[in-house]
Amino acid sequence: DVKVTQSSRYLVKRTGEKVFLECVQDMDHENMFWYRQDPGLGLRLIYFSYDVKMKEKGDIPEGYSVSREKKERFSLILESASTNQTSMYLCASSPPAGLTDTQYFGPGTRLTVL
Amino acid sequence: SQKIEQNSEALNIQEGKTATLTCNYTNYSPAYLQWYRQDPGRGPVFLLLIRENEKEKRKERLKVTFDTTLKQSLFHITASQPADSATYLCALGPGGGNKLTFGTGTQLKVEL
């Protein structure tokens, strides 16, 4: 079974803090994704990566950055957390395009910024 | 701009009945469409994928249809059970790249 893990289920941070959200997958997937999910807005793509050290902006990259130094690990960084970044953050991974188009999600991190 | 619409109102049905959820899209020509299930506080879980050249797909009690002319997919759960209660998300993919665009989801409640 594919397993995608996220470093924390719940996180509370203060405005202005630097926040790291970690995601690890154990299936050697090339593609990894970071989404945020908010009521009424659904899942929105923040950043994705097709390979180590590669990253591409999604639909809402402002205020976020990412790092992919190893194939299995994809980190989301909030350089200076703000209250409007309070949300559920979901990481996903998938094999290369053409093998299967399914994304496998982690359990999510509910981040609250005070 | 691309738009995916799922009924934002919760769907309440009785156990044993068939639940039908709708996914409509505009300004998009997807190569495939996927349905995911999401339970409260958890990540979505993949259920079914249907490609643009397929009309219908089945998996156990689940059935998905895909009408590229109407730009609509219907997701059916037959003989529904309380355990089917969850939010169901549709997602469209362009093919090649695995980048998905998700709908906002429809909450299904199956009552005894």
Side-chain angles (χ1 to χ4, degrees), chain B residues 52-63:
Chain B
E52 59 179 334
N53 59 350
E54 297 174 316
K55 296 288 186 190
E56 182 179 299
K57 206 84 166 286
R58 291 176 186 261
K59 180 183 175 183
E60 297 172 352
R61 294 185 296 112
L62 309 180
K63 185 178 88 170

Side-chain angles (χ1 to χ4, degrees), chain A residues 5-102:
Chain A
T5 56
Q6 295 183 228
S7 49
S8 306
R9 291 300 307 273
Y10 300 94
L11 208 53
V12 180
K13 296 292 182 180
R14 297 208 173 273
T15 302
E17 279 193 80
K18 190 168 186 176
V19 182
F20 292 88
L21 302 182
E22 302 283 337
C23 175
V24 178
Q25 50 95 4
D26 67 356
M27 281 301 292
D28 203 35
H29 285 170
E30 276 71 11
N31 305 314
M32 295 189 76
F33 307 83
W34 274 107
Y35 296 89
R36 64 176 282 177
Q37 186 174 33
D38 301 287
L41 296 176
L43 278 161
R44 293 181 291 167
L45 183 63
I46 304 171
Y47 267 98
F48 58 106
S49 169
Y50 289 132
D51 203 348
V52 176
K53 296 194 185 294
M54 292 185 67
K55 60 184 178 185
E56 290 197 36
K57 293 179 180 178
D59 300 317
I60 51 163
E62 296 78 20
Y64 303 94
S65 62
V66 291
S67 172
R68 192 159 180 209
E69 296 296 319
K70 293 185 178 181
K71 190 176 185 180
E72 67 272 17
R73 189 179 297 268
F74 192 34
S75 303
L76 180 69
I77 303 152
L78 287 65
E79 294 289 342
S80 178
S82 64
T83 55
N84 63 12
Q85 292 178 311
T86 292
S87 186
M88 170 71 106
Y89 289 88
L90 289 157
C91 174
S93 73
S94 69
L99 289 182
T100 172
D101 298 306
T102 301

Side-chain angles (χ1 to χ4, degrees), chain B residues 33-80:
Chain B
L33 188 147
Q34 300 183 21
W35 284 89
Y36 288 77
R37 169 185 172 138
Q38 187 174 23
D39 291 290
R42 297 188 176 274
V45 175
F46 171 77
L47 295 174
L48 278 169
L49 179 151
I50 187 165
R51 299 195 183 277
E52 59 179 334
N53 59 350
E54 297 174 316
K55 296 288 186 190
E56 182 179 299
K57 206 84 166 286
R58 291 176 186 261
K59 180 183 175 183
E60 297 172 352
R61 294 185 296 112
L62 309 180
K63 185 178 88 170
V64 173
T65 63
F66 193 10
D67 189 327
T68 54
T69 301
L70 289 178
K71 296 187 183 295
Q72 181 182 79
S73 174
L74 299 178
F75 176 79
H76 307 273
I77 306 175
T78 58
S80 59

